[in-house]
Amino acid sequence: MDDKIESTLDFMEFTGRLKHMKRRGWEMHKTPEPYETISGHMYRMGLLCFLAPEDLDHTKLFKMSLIHDLAEAEIGDITPHCGISPEVKHKMEDDVMVKFCAGYGKKGQEMLDLFKEYEKQESPEALYIKDLDVIDLLEQAYEYEKRDNTPGEYDGFFDNQRAKVKNPFWKAVLHEIENRRNKLRPEVSA
């Protein structure tokens, strides 16, 4: 078999794992029927990049949104409650990305560079993608509360994450998500 075809099939298999991997935080929280997968999370983030301000590099945003959780195809979705330190988690992800990207030449180096830029939060695009990562998580928490009629069920997610949102627009979006959550609460909406 042609090497390029084989590496393309390997790429498809590796990234395809994310289509079936549930986000661990929902499972750990015992969310009934958590439907969100890692790739679903990355997909919505990618679509949200269309809404980014014109002064940001949209191509970089799209690519970074698709790369930021790619290592999870091998190590899984490690949450702060998994008992693994952030330093060890980052080392594990970095090792996976270095190994994975090595087989794809310049494209692999581009993926690795984008991943490292995101991890270091060293550009406006990386900071923007970090905000999207948090916003998508909190929107998903709200969607589960709404679906399951469990107002306040994910207060801990909001308490742990809301301060991480830095972009003024996404802060305003978060404020509206919280307003909608409050409308689910009988004591607030009555």
Side-chain angles (χ1 to χ4, degrees):
M1 178 181 331
D2 178 286
D3 286 346
K4 187 168 182 158
I5 291 173
E6 187 168 355
S7 69
T8 298
L9 290 170
D10 291 345
F11 187 91
M12 290 172 65
E13 184 178 337
F14 184 84
T15 60
R17 295 175 195 166
L18 297 170
K19 292 169 44 175
H20 309 286
M21 294 175 77
K22 303 279 181 161
R23 300 258 288 168
R24 186 169 290 157
W26 308 125
E27 292 178 327
M28 292 176 79
H29 193 76
K30 308 255 188 284
T31 300
E33 300 179 37
Y35 53 79
E36 185 191 33
T37 63
I38 295 168
S39 66
H41 161 68
M42 292 162 53
Y43 176 74
R44 179 157 58 184
M45 285 178 60
L47 288 176
L48 287 170
C49 291
F50 278 104
L51 307 179
E54 293 304 318
D55 63 331
L56 294 176
D57 180 338
H58 283 215
T59 300
K60 184 186 272 192
L61 289 171
F62 288 121
K63 289 178 178 182
M64 199 177 285
S65 70
L66 295 174
I67 295 300
H68 86 285
D69 280 342
L70 187 58
E72 293 179 13
E74 186 164 315
I75 64 170
D77 184 16
I78 298 173
T79 75
H81 304 287
C82 290
I84 296 173
S85 73
E87 297 78 23
V88 170
K89 176 185 183 251
H90 293 302
K91 171 87 169 88
M92 291 169 65
E93 290 174 339
D94 193 58
D95 289 349
V96 167
M97 290 300 290
V98 166
K99 179 181 162 193
F100 174 74
C101 294
Y104 298 99
K106 289 181 182 178
K107 295 293 184 186
Q109 188 61 52
E110 178 186 10
M111 288 187 287
L112 184 59
D113 291 346
L114 286 167
F115 172 77
K116 288 184 176 196
E117 183 178 325
Y118 172 76
E119 287 293 306
K120 292 177 183 174
Q121 293 290 281
E122 61 184 21
S123 68
E125 289 79 11
L127 295 169
Y128 194 84
I129 292 299
K130 187 62 173 175
D131 278 354
L132 291 185
D133 192 32
V134 174
I135 285 294
D136 182 64
L137 169 74
L138 297 179
E139 171 63 17
Q140 188 63 57
Y142 161 68
E143 289 173 12
Y144 285 143
E145 286 179 341
K146 184 177 174 184
R147 178 196 73 180
D148 298 334
N149 194 26
T150 55
E153 178 67 25
Y154 299 100
D155 283 347
F157 285 70
F158 281 83
D159 293 343
N160 291 329
Q161 298 293 320
R162 82 170 46 90
K164 294 179 181 179
V165 177
K166 304 297 184 211
N167 180 283
F169 175 76
W170 291 114
K171 281 184 178 185
V173 169
L174 175 56
H175 180 74
E176 184 54 33
I177 292 170
E178 297 208 65
N179 285 340
R180 291 178 181 195
R181 287 183 75 227
N182 285 333
K183 289 178 183 172
L184 297 175
R185 299 173 196 257
E187 70 276 3
V188 175
S189 60

